Every structure is written in structure tokens, then in C-alpha cells.
Amino acid sequence: MLIRTSISSKECVQTLAIDFLAVAQRAAIASYPWIGKGDKNAADGAGTEAMRNQMSLIDMNGRIVIGEGEMDEAPMLYIGEELGTGNGPEVDIAVDPVEGTSLMAKGQDNSLVVIAAATKGSLLHAPDMYMKKVAVGPKAKGAINIDASLTENMKSVAKALGKDVTELTVMIQDRPRHHDLIQQVFAAGARVKLFSDGDVTGAIATAIEEMDIDILVGTGGAPEGVIAAVALKCLGGDFQAKLVPQNQEEFDRCLQMGLTDPEKVLTIDGIVKSDDCFFVATGITDGALLKGVRKKEAGVMLTHSFIAIGGSIKNFQFIEARH
């Protein structure tokens, strides 16, 4: 399989997309034995170790900007860790070795490996805290405003999509903090699609017509927000966000990471400053976007992955592989 990029230089980050596909596949396979075993830390550790080992082989100057924690908190894939052979493109990397660890530990759907990468210096260094988010697909690009109410955003998105507001489907995480958002959807006569964990899939769903999701909205993890923004940039969608520090310590943490105005509106181009980017995901358990890892006879493993390339081509593919 050939992934074409809009940049021919060997320094183009997008040329690494297939290498990172292998990273995601290996991490998913490593996590597979822990599905339904009730130990989310062991599952996360297995995926993280496989991911790090595979990334170390790639010809790149890679740096983790969204990872498993700080240098003194996590032994692998910590923020600031450098990976790769030292040759090739300079890359910012955002990872979640197991998005939906609790889901996976309980044997539930929608756990997956997600990786986003872009030119060095182009990804937002988001601290591990809450982030308010709104995401839409390409047809509604430019139609969202995170400072407006969900009701106003639904009207704007419906107009962009050529739909009546009552025809919209809004994806929201099933949490008490989102009660008001859910009620706004009901009041407008639109449809709600609730999910339990992992909002990266929901953000991607807005950009894939067959998934029939028009808007993702809510407050979730900031690291996942950066990964979702890369995916949507590759897919031509739109994303806005605001960090939501819960206390002075988190506010100060933003300042330490170079975010001089922690509560400003973050646009998709502010979160991902380069078009030279890509997104890769591999399913661990079955989900709305991807099928989970399957084990066959003679130790053969089947994986199902999604890869999206940024730049002028805005290309995405689903890939099934045997290992």
C-alpha cells in the first residue's frame, strides 16, 4: 500500500505514517491479552512498552509532547522523551497507548490505540487536565464558536449542513457535568448519542459521513483533545477548545508549559500549527470506528486500523492486516 504525500522531501513528517501504523498495530496486539482482565494499568503498560520499542526503530528525531506523564511519573513515553534513530524528520508526537483503558479492562467496546504526529514545534503542549471541546466535519468547518451556546452552534452547523436542527445528531459523553448540554439538544428536537469513554472516536465520527454524527461537544481530557484536533485537521474538519483549569495548581501548570493565557480559545490551527501531520488508530476492542484485535489459528493476529494524512490531499484509509 502506498500513502502519497503533498511534500516530497525526506524531511516530511507524513512519510512516517506507515511506520507509525506499525507502532499502533504492535501496541494493540500487546494489549490484547489484557482485554477483560480487570487490570487497566497492566494493559496500558503492555501497550506503552510495545509502542516505545517500535518507535525507537523509526528514522526520525521524535519527541513526545502528549504522553503518559512527566519524566518522574512514568517510565516510558513521558512528556519530553526523545525517540527514533536520530535520523530523518523532526517530529512532535502525541500518543494514547490505550484510549479507553477502563473499557478495555471490562471487556467493553471502543478501546483503541491512537497516535498523532506533526512537524516539530507545531503541536500544542496540553497539560493533563480538562478541556472544553466542540468538533465538526468538513461541511461545517467555520460554523462553530466555543463561546456560543450549544443551541446557537446547532443552528449554525445545521445551516452549514443544509439540515433542519431536528435532524442533527450530537455526540456527548455520558457524565453529570454534561446534563445542560444534553437538555439543550433535547430542547432543540435534535438527537443525542451518548458514549461512556474516549472522545477521539466521536470527534473523528463528525468527519466520516457513514457514522452519522454532526457535532461532538463536551468537556474531556486535554491530551485527547490535541490528538482529536490532529485527526480532524487531516480530515478537513474543525475543532475548537478551551482549557478548564480546576484550581490554581493546574492554572500554574499551564503557565509552566508555555500557555500564557490558559483560558483563551484554541482553534484547530492553534492546536496543530502545521499541515504536515497525520493520525493513526488501531482497534483493541470492537468499536464504532474500528474492529478489535482478533486472534486466529497458528498465532495469527488480525488488526483493523485507520490512518489519515493531512496537507492538500486530506486522505484517509481503513486498513486490515494479518500479523
Side-chain angles (χ1 to χ4, degrees), residues 6-198:
S6 56
I7 306 172
S8 59
S9 168
K10 66 179 180 179
E11 296 302 308
C12 171
V13 168
Q14 293 169 351
T15 61
L16 302 176
I18 295 302
D19 292 314
F20 274 82
L21 172 63
V23 172
Q25 291 167 336
R26 291 298 169 194
I29 290 169
S31 299
Y32 171 82
W34 297 99
I35 295 173
K37 297 293 181 68
D39 192 340
K40 66 179 184 179
N41 292 330
D44 197 47
T48 300
E49 182 177 7
M51 182 176 280
R52 185 181 192 278
N53 291 341
Q54 191 72 25
M55 277 200 281
S56 296
L57 304 175
I58 298 175
D59 282 332
M60 65 173 179
N61 284 285
R63 179 184 57 165
I64 300 293
V65 298
I66 300 288
E68 290 290 278
E70 293 305 300
M71 188 169 183
D72 59 351
E73 295 175 355
M76 294 168 289
L77 296 179
Y78 55 81
I79 296 171
E81 183 173 0
E82 296 181 355
L83 292 163
T85 64
N87 301 311
E90 294 185 316
V91 191
D92 278 357
I93 305 165
V95 301
D96 193 343
V98 183
E99 200 208 12
T101 50
S102 295
L103 296 173
M104 181 186 165
K106 297 173 184 175
Q108 295 177 325
D109 289 350
N110 287 310
S111 66
L112 65 165
V113 178
V114 292
I115 309 172
T119 305
K120 181 180 178 180
S122 63
L123 289 187
L124 177 75
H125 293 204
D128 190 3
M129 64 176 60
Y130 278 126
M131 173 186 271
K132 183 181 176 184
K133 316 168 189 179
V134 57
V136 292
K139 292 180 180 178
K141 187 173 177 63
I144 53 174
N145 176 6
I146 200 164
D147 283 332
S149 68
L150 176 55
T151 302
E152 292 174 281
N153 275 298
M154 284 191 290
K155 291 177 181 177
S156 179
V157 169
K159 183 178 180 181
L161 297 178
K163 293 183 175 183
D164 189 84
V165 172
T166 60
E167 297 177 288
L168 294 180
T169 300
V170 183
M171 198 161 187
I172 304 174
Q173 190 175 21
D174 190 5
R175 294 288 190 273
R177 64 179 177 269
H178 294 146
H179 175 77
D180 180 63
L181 295 175
I182 294 168
Q183 291 306 310
Q184 287 185 62
V185 178
F186 290 156
R191 289 183 292 270
V192 165
K193 187 173 182 63
L194 298 178
F195 66 99
S196 60
D197 290 285

